[in-house]
Amino acid sequence: MPAANAASPALAATRAWVETFVVARNVCPFAGREVARDSIRYVEVGADDWERALHALVAECEHLDEHPEVETTLLVLSEGLEAFDDYLDFLGLAEALLEAQGYAGTYQLASFHPDYCFEGADEEDAANYTNRSPWPLLHLLREAGLERALEHYPDPEAIPERNVAAMRALGEPALAAALARLRDGSA
């Protein structure tokens, strides 16, 4: 279900990240099924104009409303949110907008950024790579689909801990190099 601009470097890097990192490393144990079903929608929007990017987010909610065969959307924010603090400010607005539009309980956002850093964590902690992506992005998830997947997965609460341990075992230098290769299109 690629969007019309699927050939862009940002979308190509994001698709490669999903396939070679998220699925291959089992960071999200549910992603492989959706890749195989081609039920992930990849959409790029510049976030240099926050209003336009927020409108695109609502449009993606509407798209998901109208297309039940699409399980999830990755909204790639290709420019304007390079600074992680700016991204966090935008994320706050995006979450508030979903609530205001009546989408709370229907869709939720997962957040990813090239410089993602968990609160209180060292920037160089490899654990941050559980939420680092080649480009800033918002992952729009159907809550009902997530609930169905979690019903059949043993011990879903252990997923974050397992991912942190796996990232730390790989090490920050290797993860940084892999992410840079994806961003540069040389992965």
Side-chain angles (χ1 to χ4, degrees):
M1 298 273 154
N5 55 353
S8 81
L11 290 179
T14 300
R15 183 180 292 270
W17 170 74
V18 167
E19 293 171 1
T20 66
F21 182 79
V22 176
V23 172
R25 299 195 183 282
N26 202 31
V27 175
C28 174
F30 318 113
R33 177 177 183 261
E34 302 313 323
V35 167
R37 291 177 59 224
D38 197 25
S39 63
I40 301 172
R41 181 171 159 86
Y42 298 85
V43 176
E44 179 179 359
V45 63
D48 49 340
D49 178 341
W50 285 22
E51 185 176 346
R52 181 183 70 209
L54 291 168
H55 281 290
L57 175 62
V58 172
E60 285 309 308
C61 291
E62 293 167 351
H63 184 87
L64 289 170
D65 287 345
E66 296 166 10
H67 297 277
E69 71 280 5
V70 178
E71 185 60 34
T72 189
T73 295
L74 295 178
L75 188 64
V76 180
L77 305 163
S78 60
E79 52 190 54
L81 294 174
E82 293 80 8
F84 185 56
D85 286 339
D86 291 343
Y87 172 82
L88 290 176
D89 291 343
F90 181 83
L91 175 63
L93 289 174
E95 289 171 335
L97 179 61
L98 286 185
E99 178 84 27
Q101 294 293 312
Y103 284 116
T106 303
Y107 303 116
Q108 67 176 260
L109 292 176
S111 57
F112 299 88
H113 189 278
D115 296 323
Y116 200 98
C117 186
F118 290 104
E119 188 173 344
D122 185 309
E123 285 183 31
E124 303 305 314
D125 187 342
N128 293 315
Y129 283 84
T130 63
N131 286 67
R132 287 194 179 172
S133 56
W135 295 87
L137 66 89
L138 297 176
H139 183 185
L140 192 55
L141 298 126
R142 291 181 186 275
E143 287 207 12
L146 186 58
E147 289 169 8
R148 278 191 308 275
L150 291 173
E151 284 175 5
H152 305 289
Y153 190 84
D155 197 19
E157 295 81 20
I159 295 170
E161 292 171 17
R162 183 201 70 215
N163 286 341
V164 165
M167 295 304 108
R168 287 180 175 154
L170 289 168
E172 197 277 338
L175 290 165
L179 195 60
R181 284 191 303 274
L182 285 167
R183 173 113 180 173
D184 296 339
S186 58

